[in-house]
Amino acid sequence: MAIRVQRADFDPGVELDRFCTGKTNVGGVCLFVGLVRDYMGHDPQAGAEVRAMTLEHYPGMTERQLEAIEAEARSRWPLDDALVIHRFGRLEPGERIVLVAASSAHRDAAFEACRFLIDWLKTKAPFWKVEHTPDGDAWVDAKESDDKAAERWLK
Amino acid sequence: MKVLYFAWLKAKTGIGEEEIAPPPGVATVGQLVEHLKTRSPGHAAAFETLSVVRVAVNQDYGGLDTPVKAGDEIAFFPPVTGG
């Protein structure tokens, strides 16, 4: 289990390789990578152009919440391992923001836990995005769709 | 107690962090908010719409009824938008 909150980029290939190495009891690894989009909202035609964004976070609480989210995933699925990497600072379209991965003996647990990790992280980890557009800076509003995605996992 | 502000709450108050000695009678987050609002027009603006403000007490999510005491770290911020 590992949590990393960092300004620097990460290499998903290297992370995946490291995550898989030495595991002989694992049948499936699921890995999700989130990227910066170049438009605001859901509609690429209607949304303003995003030239970059800056992610702010709450050092200390971020790690604490990510650890709690990971512990929750482990309590729900028989996971072999889990990994969360989240970046902060200024990011441009196409750059990687987040990586979550889960491994288990069977693929169902790996898929579900991976989805759970990103859904819960989006509504619980203290990160905030401000988008830099040609019209100025705008703090991103929390999305109802993200709340809905997280609510699916409420017991 | 230490009070932290993030995202647009930081922009509106103009500060990221301040040390507060709250007056007697401030025992909950809600009471602290009422006190903080009086500190500056920026504070009042930051807390104008509480439905879009979240709070953490000692790095755990809380609400307006959550108790606060000397030595606590209390953070105010908008709903989170990571991932």
Side-chain angles (χ1 to χ4, degrees):
Chain A
M1 148 172 176
I3 300 289
R4 277 156 47 200
V5 181
Q6 62 189 48
R7 191 178 288 275
D9 192 16
F10 52 83
D11 181 333
V14 169
E15 299 299 339
L16 178 62
D17 189 50
R18 195 179 294 156
F19 196 65
C20 295
T21 298
K23 290 182 166 68
T24 54
N25 58 338
V26 163
V29 172
C30 192
L31 182 146
F32 171 86
V33 175
L35 307 177
V36 178
R37 255 194 317 270
D38 66 359
Y39 61 90
M40 293 173 91
H42 283 287
D43 182 353
Q45 307 306 321
E49 177 195 354
V50 173
R51 290 181 175 162
M53 66 167 58
T54 301
L55 269 140
E56 183 182 339
H57 77 115
Y58 180 178
M61 182 172 172
T62 305
E63 289 81 357
R64 191 179 161 90
Q65 291 298 320
L66 291 176
E67 281 165 15
I69 291 163
E70 198 171 317
E72 181 66 27
R74 283 174 172 278
S75 76
R76 292 181 182 219
W77 291 278
L79 298 184
D80 163 74
D81 203 359
L83 171 66
V84 178
I85 305 173
H86 205 302
R87 293 179 67 193
F88 60 90
R90 184 186 163 88
L91 299 170
E92 296 188 353
E95 282 198 76
R96 292 176 276 268
I97 305 178
V98 63
L99 178 154
V100 300
S103 60
S104 185
H106 300 284
R107 68 181 180 282
D108 281 354
F111 269 115
E112 288 178 17
C114 188
R115 182 77 204 243
F116 168 84
L117 285 167
I118 189 65
D119 284 349
W120 266 40
L121 178 160
K122 272 186 165 285
T123 57
K124 295 191 189 305
F127 287 93
W128 303 276
K129 290 171 181 152
V130 58
E131 290 175 331
H132 310 302
T133 78
D135 300 328
D137 291 352
W139 288 99
V140 176
D141 284 328
K143 291 197 191 91
E144 200 184 329
S145 56
D146 286 338
D147 288 337
K148 288 268 186 297
E151 280 168 14
R152 292 189 307 146
W153 300 104
L154 289 176
K155 283 180 183 168
Chain B
M1 60 184 65
K2 186 158 83 170
V3 180
L4 309 176
Y5 305 94
F6 292 97
W8 53 257
L9 278 103
K10 183 179 179 176
K12 287 193 174 176
T13 57
I15 39 179
E17 180 178 333
E18 60 185 340
E19 198 63 39
I20 298 277
V26 170
T28 65
V29 167
Q31 289 160 349
L32 176 64
V33 167
E34 290 310 311
H35 169 66
L36 292 172
K37 278 175 164 177
T38 65
R39 286 179 70 82
S40 78
H43 284 75
F47 291 112
E48 197 179 348
T49 310
L50 285 181
S51 59
V52 290
V53 176
R54 299 289 178 268
V55 63
V57 176
N58 298 324
Q59 305 189 352
D60 278 324
Y61 285 102
L64 292 174
D65 296 334
T66 304
V68 295
K69 58 181 189 317
D72 282 348
E73 178 177 301
I74 295 131
F76 294 99
F77 45 79
V80 302
T81 55

